[in-house]
Amino acid sequence: MRIVIIGAYAIGAHLARILSRRNEDITLIDDDEERLSHIESDLDLLTIHDRPNSISTLKEARVKGADLVIAVTPDENLNANCCILAKKLGAKKTVARINNAEDMKPNNQAFFKELGIDSLIYPEMLAAEDINNGLKMSWVRQRWDVHGGALVMLGIKLRESCEILNQPLRDISGPTDPFHIVAIKRKGETIIPGGNDELKLYDLAYIMTTKQFIPYVRKIVGKEKYADVKNVMIMGGGTTAVRAVQTMPEYMSAKIIEMNPARCEELNNLFENDVLVINGDGRDIPLLIEENISNTQAFVALTGNAETNILACLTAKRMGVRKTVAMVENLDYVSMAESLDIGTIVNKKAIAASHIYQMMLDANVINVRFLMTANADVAEFIPEEGSRITKKPVKDLGLPRGVTIGGLVRGEEGMLVSGGTQIQAGDSVMVFCHEADMQKVGKLFVKPSLFG
């Protein structure tokens, strides 16, 4: 595919690295030579140092006929302008990063599409959704819902209380059991398991189940004593924190600890009396004690500094908080945070990249999520009538190595997938993909005539 990325900031640079390694034809535009120099030295892509909203620059980048134009600078007006121009110049699809929640309303998105912007991404809103999904279930590291939770994938750290350790998966997770183990992360390695594999202590297990069996899964993994989250303490009062608080379930209450007094004043005006805003440092132990951290079920660190967030979460865990969430924007620190048992890790770059990657797939894809801790993609595909995936039972499909189908939703009913399952056109199918080409997998879900 031919892809033009506008903006060599964090998200654009991350996308460029991902897509160039997938051998896509990438052109990266930025008006700052230094930002480009950090990227072009180790990647196979074309860089253009020029004003990105210039028609001549966009023509030089060959946006005419480009499969995707992605504008992800911090300036939402610049992003919108670039996408509108690119579409008029002949780009097939455009996506723009925005910073205003109002723009995400369905009517406004339709308006932007008429202008030439096919999709909008608001990374802070996507991150807030991830944070709240993690808070709703204090005993899981990650949660991914299909069709409003008819089918659910849970990433769970296994402790001594887990009942299903050291047993072959064929004995604990057969075709008639209400859960499937779709992947295992163990000491830095991701395993797509077979029937002879076993779960081990401290594994991060990715478990697919249906909504009604979540309590059963919670029991067998030994997490029944984990308290549900009602009180949340958030360190850092930035945009992501605001969006998380604004979209939290009503039964949760939040405190925000923010070091900048001026920002505290802004937050007080924004939330009025609904949220307690505290001027201080979330790593300050006396402050945490004073703010009753012992009665807090979750601590969320959302400052712009990964080291600060990791340290704060470690402090909170040592003070008895079981559920911690850390914003880790530096991908080099993700493995470290995981090894320190930080809990849920949120990275806006990876979340935004997943959303954009969805637009590159040929098949009808509703959702794509990159799981940083497992170095894997999870996608929800809808197979078309006559597609290859509907021709044979799953066991006879010859799925690529590193690919497993965890479950599907048919109508409104979630169901797990076994070797004998026959996938039907119109099903919503959950695919877990580790070190495999998601685009090739996607071709199983479209009519053969679409790709020859």
mmCIF file of all heavy atoms in Angstrom, residues 329-350:
data_model
loop_
_atom_site.group_PDB
_atom_site.id
_atom_site.type_symbol
_atom_site.label_atom_id
_atom_site.label_comp_id
_atom_site.label_asym_id
_atom_site.label_seq_id
_atom_site.Cartn_x
_atom_site.Cartn_y
_atom_site.Cartn_z
ATOM 1 N N GLU A 329 4.311 6.299 27.506
ATOM 2 C CA GLU A 329 4.402 6.724 26.112
ATOM 3 C C GLU A 329 5.717 6.300 25.464
ATOM 4 O O GLU A 329 5.794 6.167 24.254
ATOM 5 C CB GLU A 329 4.231 8.239 26.019
ATOM 6 C CG GLU A 329 2.799 8.704 26.241
ATOM 7 C CD GLU A 329 1.847 8.115 25.210
ATOM 8 O OE1 GLU A 329 1.765 8.633 24.089
ATOM 9 O OE2 GLU A 329 1.188 7.103 25.523
ATOM 10 N N ASN A 330 6.749 6.103 26.256
ATOM 11 C CA ASN A 330 8.027 5.628 25.735
ATOM 12 C C ASN A 330 7.967 4.108 25.631
ATOM 13 O O ASN A 330 7.971 3.400 26.643
ATOM 14 C CB ASN A 330 9.165 6.069 26.664
ATOM 15 C CG ASN A 330 10.538 5.768 26.090
ATOM 16 O OD1 ASN A 330 10.686 4.833 25.299
ATOM 17 N ND2 ASN A 330 11.534 6.538 26.476
ATOM 18 N N LEU A 331 7.915 3.602 24.398
ATOM 19 C CA LEU A 331 7.751 2.159 24.203
ATOM 20 C C LEU A 331 8.908 1.359 24.774
ATOM 21 O O LEU A 331 8.756 0.172 25.090
ATOM 22 C CB LEU A 331 7.578 1.857 22.709
ATOM 23 C CG LEU A 331 6.265 2.354 22.096
ATOM 24 C CD1 LEU A 331 6.291 2.184 20.588
ATOM 25 C CD2 LEU A 331 5.087 1.623 22.692
ATOM 26 N N ASP A 332 10.077 2.000 24.935
ATOM 27 C CA ASP A 332 11.229 1.296 25.511
ATOM 28 C C ASP A 332 10.982 0.905 26.962
ATOM 29 O O ASP A 332 11.646 0.014 27.493
ATOM 30 C CB ASP A 332 12.482 2.175 25.432
ATOM 31 C CG ASP A 332 12.921 2.439 24.001
ATOM 32 O OD1 ASP A 332 12.594 1.604 23.126
ATOM 33 O OD2 ASP A 332 13.563 3.478 23.742
ATOM 34 N N TYR A 333 10.030 1.586 27.615
ATOM 35 C CA TYR A 333 9.761 1.321 29.025
ATOM 36 C C TYR A 333 8.629 0.321 29.241
ATOM 37 O O TYR A 333 8.348 -0.052 30.376
ATOM 38 C CB TYR A 333 9.418 2.622 29.755
ATOM 39 C CG TYR A 333 10.580 3.561 29.938
ATOM 40 C CD1 TYR A 333 10.403 4.932 29.790
ATOM 41 C CD2 TYR A 333 11.845 3.089 30.250
ATOM 42 C CE1 TYR A 333 11.468 5.813 29.956
ATOM 43 C CE2 TYR A 333 12.911 3.958 30.406
ATOM 44 C CZ TYR A 333 12.718 5.310 30.261
ATOM 45 O OH TYR A 333 13.771 6.171 30.424
ATOM 46 N N VAL A 334 7.965 -0.100 28.174
ATOM 47 C CA VAL A 334 6.817 -0.989 28.340
ATOM 48 C C VAL A 334 7.228 -2.313 28.972
ATOM 49 O O VAL A 334 6.603 -2.796 29.921
ATOM 50 C CB VAL A 334 6.106 -1.221 26.990
ATOM 51 C CG1 VAL A 334 5.070 -2.329 27.113
ATOM 52 C CG2 VAL A 334 5.441 0.065 26.518
ATOM 53 N N SER A 335 8.308 -2.915 28.468
ATOM 54 C CA SER A 335 8.768 -4.190 29.020
ATOM 55 C C SER A 335 9.180 -4.041 30.474
ATOM 56 O O SER A 335 8.918 -4.922 31.306
ATOM 57 C CB SER A 335 9.937 -4.739 28.198
ATOM 58 O OG SER A 335 9.520 -5.042 26.891
ATOM 59 N N MET A 336 9.832 -2.917 30.801
ATOM 60 C CA MET A 336 10.233 -2.684 32.183
ATOM 61 C C MET A 336 9.012 -2.567 33.081
ATOM 62 O O MET A 336 8.955 -3.155 34.164
ATOM 63 C CB MET A 336 11.078 -1.420 32.290
ATOM 64 C CG MET A 336 11.533 -1.105 33.717
ATOM 65 S SD MET A 336 12.506 0.409 33.831
ATOM 66 C CE MET A 336 11.253 1.650 33.559
ATOM 67 N N ALA A 337 8.015 -1.809 32.635
ATOM 68 C CA ALA A 337 6.800 -1.656 33.433
ATOM 69 C C ALA A 337 6.121 -3.000 33.653
ATOM 70 O O ALA A 337 5.633 -3.303 34.746
ATOM 71 C CB ALA A 337 5.847 -0.682 32.740
ATOM 72 N N GLU A 338 6.116 -3.823 32.608
ATOM 73 C CA GLU A 338 5.507 -5.146 32.722
ATOM 74 C C GLU A 338 6.279 -6.017 33.708
ATOM 75 O O GLU A 338 5.692 -6.707 34.556
ATOM 76 C CB GLU A 338 5.471 -5.816 31.349
ATOM 77 C CG GLU A 338 4.784 -7.173 31.352
ATOM 78 C CD GLU A 338 4.902 -7.871 30.011
ATOM 79 O OE1 GLU A 338 5.454 -7.271 29.074
ATOM 80 O OE2 GLU A 338 4.442 -9.010 29.922
ATOM 81 N N SER A 339 7.593 -5.970 33.642
ATOM 82 C CA SER A 339 8.414 -6.792 34.539
ATOM 83 C C SER A 339 8.277 -6.366 35.995
ATOM 84 O O SER A 339 8.471 -7.165 36.911
ATOM 85 C CB SER A 339 9.887 -6.741 34.115
ATOM 86 O OG SER A 339 10.421 -5.437 34.328
ATOM 87 N N LEU A 340 7.939 -5.092 36.211
ATOM 88 C CA LEU A 340 7.746 -4.584 37.574
ATOM 89 C C LEU A 340 6.322 -4.818 38.065
ATOM 90 O O LEU A 340 5.967 -4.363 39.149
ATOM 91 C CB LEU A 340 8.066 -3.083 37.614
ATOM 92 C CG LEU A 340 9.534 -2.717 37.398
ATOM 93 C CD1 LEU A 340 9.695 -1.210 37.258
ATOM 94 C CD2 LEU A 340 10.400 -3.237 38.540
ATOM 95 N N ASP A 341 5.527 -5.524 37.270
ATOM 96 C CA ASP A 341 4.174 -5.893 37.670
ATOM 97 C C ASP A 341 3.286 -4.669 37.860
ATOM 98 O O ASP A 341 2.525 -4.580 38.830
ATOM 99 C CB ASP A 341 4.223 -6.727 38.963
ATOM 100 C CG ASP A 341 3.049 -7.694 39.062
ATOM 101 O OD1 ASP A 341 2.397 -7.925 38.028
ATOM 102 O OD2 ASP A 341 2.791 -8.196 40.164
ATOM 103 N N ILE A 342 3.397 -3.728 36.930
ATOM 104 C CA ILE A 342 2.673 -2.466 37.054
ATOM 105 C C ILE A 342 1.180 -2.637 36.807
ATOM 106 O O ILE A 342 0.403 -1.841 37.153
ATOM 107 C CB ILE A 342 3.262 -1.409 36.082
ATOM 108 C CG1 ILE A 342 4.640 -0.982 36.569
ATOM 109 C CG2 ILE A 342 2.366 -0.177 35.965
ATOM 110 C CD1 ILE A 342 4.640 -0.389 37.968
ATOM 111 N N GLY A 343 0.737 -3.626 36.174
ATOM 112 C CA GLY A 343 -0.698 -3.755 35.897
ATOM 113 C C GLY A 343 -1.014 -3.317 34.490
ATOM 114 O O GLY A 343 -0.317 -3.671 33.546
ATOM 115 N N THR A 344 -2.042 -2.518 34.310
ATOM 116 C CA THR A 344 -2.454 -2.083 32.976
ATOM 117 C C THR A 344 -1.549 -0.961 32.475
ATOM 118 O O THR A 344 -1.297 0.007 33.187
ATOM 119 C CB THR A 344 -3.913 -1.593 33.000
ATOM 120 O OG1 THR A 344 -4.754 -2.669 33.442
ATOM 121 C CG2 THR A 344 -4.357 -1.153 31.615
ATOM 122 N N ILE A 345 -1.070 -1.116 31.246
ATOM 123 C CA ILE A 345 -0.188 -0.122 30.628
ATOM 124 C C ILE A 345 -0.925 0.495 29.444
ATOM 125 O O ILE A 345 -1.476 -0.214 28.600
ATOM 126 C CB ILE A 345 1.128 -0.772 30.170
ATOM 127 C CG1 ILE A 345 1.870 -1.355 31.379
ATOM 128 C CG2 ILE A 345 2.014 0.240 29.439
ATOM 129 C CD1 ILE A 345 2.982 -2.307 31.007
ATOM 130 N N VAL A 346 -0.935 1.822 29.398
ATOM 131 C CA VAL A 346 -1.646 2.540 28.346
ATOM 132 C C VAL A 346 -0.644 3.339 27.518
ATOM 133 O O VAL A 346 0.216 4.030 28.081
ATOM 134 C CB VAL A 346 -2.704 3.495 28.940
ATOM 135 C CG1 VAL A 346 -3.382 4.300 27.844
ATOM 136 C CG2 VAL A 346 -3.741 2.703 29.737
ATOM 137 N N ASN A 347 -0.738 3.218 26.202
ATOM 138 C CA ASN A 347 0.142 3.950 25.310
ATOM 139 C C ASN A 347 -0.688 4.521 24.164
ATOM 140 O O ASN A 347 -1.239 3.778 23.349
ATOM 141 C CB ASN A 347 1.241 3.034 24.756
ATOM 142 C CG ASN A 347 2.217 3.768 23.859
ATOM 143 O OD1 ASN A 347 1.900 4.069 22.722
ATOM 144 N ND2 ASN A 347 3.396 4.047 24.367
ATOM 145 N N LYS A 348 -0.807 5.848 24.127
ATOM 146 C CA LYS A 348 -1.673 6.483 23.127
ATOM 147 C C LYS A 348 -1.185 6.242 21.707
ATOM 148 O O LYS A 348 -1.993 6.145 20.771
ATOM 149 C CB LYS A 348 -1.766 7.987 23.405
ATOM 150 C CG LYS A 348 -2.588 8.343 24.629
ATOM 151 C CD LYS A 348 -2.737 9.837 24.797
ATOM 152 C CE LYS A 348 -1.420 10.483 25.186
ATOM 153 N NZ LYS A 348 -1.578 11.919 25.503
ATOM 154 N N LYS A 349 0.133 6.140 21.519
ATOM 155 C CA LYS A 349 0.664 5.902 20.170
ATOM 156 C C LYS A 349 0.180 4.567 19.624
ATOM 157 O O LYS A 349 -0.269 4.470 18.473
ATOM 158 C CB LYS A 349 2.196 5.938 20.207
ATOM 159 C CG LYS A 349 2.789 7.300 20.454
ATOM 160 C CD LYS A 349 4.303 7.278 20.405
ATOM 161 C CE LYS A 349 4.902 6.558 21.584
ATOM 162 N NZ LYS A 349 6.366 6.707 21.663
ATOM 163 N N ALA A 350 0.273 3.537 20.464
ATOM 164 C CA ALA A 350 -0.131 2.210 20.020
ATOM 165 C C ALA A 350 -1.631 2.141 19.782
ATOM 166 O O ALA A 350 -2.101 1.499 18.833
ATOM 167 C CB ALA A 350 0.286 1.169 21.058
#
